[in-house]
Amino acid sequence: MKRTSFSGWLSQALWLIGREPLVWIGYMLVIGLLLGVGRVSLALGVFLSVTSLFVGVGVAKYTDLKSSAGHSVSLYWAISKSLPLAVLAALSIVLCWFVFRLAANIYSEEWEKIAQFFYYWELTPENMDDKSLRQLAGWLYSSAIVALIFVLLMLTTFASWFSYPLMLFKSYTWSQAKEQGNKAVTRHLSAIYKLLGFVFAAVFIGGGMMPLLTPVLYALVSTLMYVSYQTIFEPG
């Protein structure tokens, strides 16, 4: 029986990543490029960040199935299964973010920032010259770190930590996933608090001190989202 505890989830997540290191290295390299491209605009940065995070849940499922006897699945299956819902979730979060920004820009009368949400080219020599590798990584991945924090806040307020995997693997509607996810959170409150505390601490520390590890952080959060769901809703 897998442990429904924070320490159990963390050890399972690290074990899954260690089972298929080449798959996860490839995933992190790809999203490392995507998260950097997100500097083109905040909207694109949020979209790519959220999509990358949720596709990682599908990759974790693939890793889990591949490590189990009697299961033969492809990485393409995992990505094609998780990508449509990940894109839908990303578009929803981009829309929510835009609404918040729009209200703030209208209130402050910063009309030019409304269009900049969708396109604002910052990949210029002025922004990239005379920066150390750590400073450059921090600048490049700043949108990805902010997006990850925003997603975590959205999950813990308007949905639940388990909403996405429940919708992906059990075909629940958003309301069903929120209801069942919140019930699971209530049953395992201590473990969930520790898990979320760890994730938020890792995001703040990783974003501020070690921004180059942002793709690693995304992989870890995706895997933790999957293993915590799996031990509660698919314990067999």
Side-chain angles (χ1 to χ4, degrees), residues 163-181:
S163 290
Y164 178 78
L166 282 171
M167 294 171 69
L168 179 61
F169 301 124
K170 291 190 175 294
S171 300
Y172 283 9
T173 64
W174 179 83
S175 59
Q176 290 173 327
K178 179 182 178 180
E179 179 183 359
Q180 294 302 316

Side-chain angles (χ1 to χ4, degrees), residues 179-192 232-233:
E179 179 183 359
Q180 294 302 316
N182 285 333
K183 287 180 180 178
V185 169
T186 302
R187 291 196 305 269
H188 305 278
L189 202 58
S190 176
I192 294 295
I232 293 174
F233 293 96

Side-chain angles (χ1 to χ4, degrees), residues 6 8-14 17 60 161-162 195 198-199 217-230:
F6 165 66
W9 292 335
L10 183 58
S11 63
Q12 290 166 44
L14 296 175
I17 292 173
W161 172 256
F162 301 104
L195 173 61
F198 169 80
V199 170
L217 184 59
Y218 266 68
L220 181 60
V221 174
S222 296
T223 312
L224 283 170
M225 192 176 293
Y226 170 73
V227 297
S228 57
Y229 151 82
Q230 197 270 343

Side-chain angles (χ1 to χ4, degrees), residues 1-33:
M1 179 68 70
K2 294 181 178 179
R3 296 166 56 196
T4 54
S5 65
F6 165 66
S7 59
W9 292 335
L10 183 58
S11 63
Q12 290 166 44
L14 296 175
W15 180 83
L16 272 184
I17 292 173
R19 286 288 297 179
E20 296 291 334
L22 293 180
V23 170
W24 285 106
I25 289 172
Y27 165 79
M28 287 184 281
L29 289 174
V30 170
I31 69 167
L33 292 173

Side-chain angles (χ1 to χ4, degrees), residues 61-78:
K61 177 71 171 180
Y62 159 78
T63 307
D64 189 26
L65 289 177
K66 193 173 180 183
S67 64
S68 304
H71 290 92
S72 178
V73 295
S74 67
L75 183 58
Y76 173 79
W77 170 85

